[in-house]
Amino acid sequence: MFLRARRVVVTVGAVAALGLLTACGDGSGGATGGGGDSSGDTSATASQTAPPASSGSSGAASPQGTQGTQGTSDSKSGGSGSSRCRASQLRGHVGRNDPGAGQENFPLVVTNFSGTTCTLDGYPGAAFVDGSGKQVGPDPRRAEGSPVKITLAPGSSAWAGLSFGNPEISGAKTATPTGILITPPDEKEPVKVDWTGGAVPVSDAANLTVFRAGNGA
């Protein structure tokens, strides 16, 4: 009787050891997090929600400088644990015009007002809209540039340059929008910003650069 009970104990112990070995595997078969594509809105490939890509524009003059509240540029990583910036995390504004050579040059600035670090990588989407929300003019063309992943800590900013020909010089047909929609790379929801820059050409497309760290001032 004692011998039989000992065999039961040995069998139960072997089963428990096998169970412990299984729980301590290498974890390679575990569940993965949300796939999230790396952009271009957050990989080097530009967002499909941004304006259609072009072969670039040699006439795009962009606002210069990256002073002010700065993000961090990183061509390899957006920072540990960070994810791409959503419209709900950002506030936007249009910076001061820096005209030159018949061009109007405005920085489109977004600032991370959330409490979470996020990243931007590539071209934003941009569209002028009227008071009813209807788009005014064509989508901007993408100027040539090399997307770099920008890490936006809370309170940090990034900007993209929007340039178009002065309508008084070019003679292009114009309209006066009331707002501009700025869509982060790889996102569909835009950040709506008031437009106070006056008339814009609707017969010629504007030019748009990749996001850069800073506020474009």
Side-chain angles (χ1 to χ4, degrees):
M1 189 68 178
F2 174 82
L3 178 61
R4 182 178 179 183
R6 183 176 181 182
R7 287 176 180 173
V8 171
V9 169
V10 170
T11 301
V12 171
V15 171
L18 179 60
L20 180 60
L21 180 61
T22 302
C24 296
D26 62 8
S28 60
T32 59
D37 50 348
S38 12
S39 71
D41 292 19
T42 43
S43 79
T45 301
S47 165
Q48 294 301 315
T49 63
S54 71
S55 59
S57 170
S58 59
S62 303
Q64 299 299 315
T66 56
Q67 300 302 314
T69 304
Q70 300 285 323
T72 301
S73 297
D74 186 343
S75 59
K76 294 182 179 180
S77 172
S80 176
S82 60
S83 60
R84 67 173 184 254
C85 296
R86 317 281 179 172
S88 59
Q89 295 175 276
L90 303 173
R91 288 185 179 138
H93 73 274
V94 178
R96 179 181 58 85
N97 185 18
D98 183 21
Q103 294 277 330
E104 308 300 319
N105 308 303
F106 293 88
L108 305 181
V109 184
V110 293
T111 301
N112 180 5
F113 75 95
S114 74
T116 304
T117 296
C118 62
T119 62
L120 294 170
D121 189 355
Y123 295 84
F128 293 111
V129 293
D130 62 19
S132 65
K134 182 179 178 180
Q135 182 169 340
V136 174
D139 290 337
R141 295 182 297 257
R142 288 174 177 174
E144 293 181 359
S146 299
V148 175
K149 185 172 286 187
I150 300 167
T151 300
L152 288 188
S156 295
S157 300
W159 67 281
L162 180 75
S163 301
F164 52 84
N166 184 316
E168 294 182 1
I169 297 175
S170 67
K173 182 181 178 181
T174 65
T176 303
T178 61
I180 185 168
L181 305 180
I182 306 171
T183 306
D186 287 341
E187 292 297 307
K188 295 182 179 179
E189 187 70 22
V191 179
K192 185 173 182 180
V193 179
D194 291 338
W195 176 259
T196 59
V200 301
V202 294
S203 53
D204 295 331
N207 295 292
L208 192 65
T209 73
V210 296
F211 270 120
R212 309 171 192 182
N215 61 14

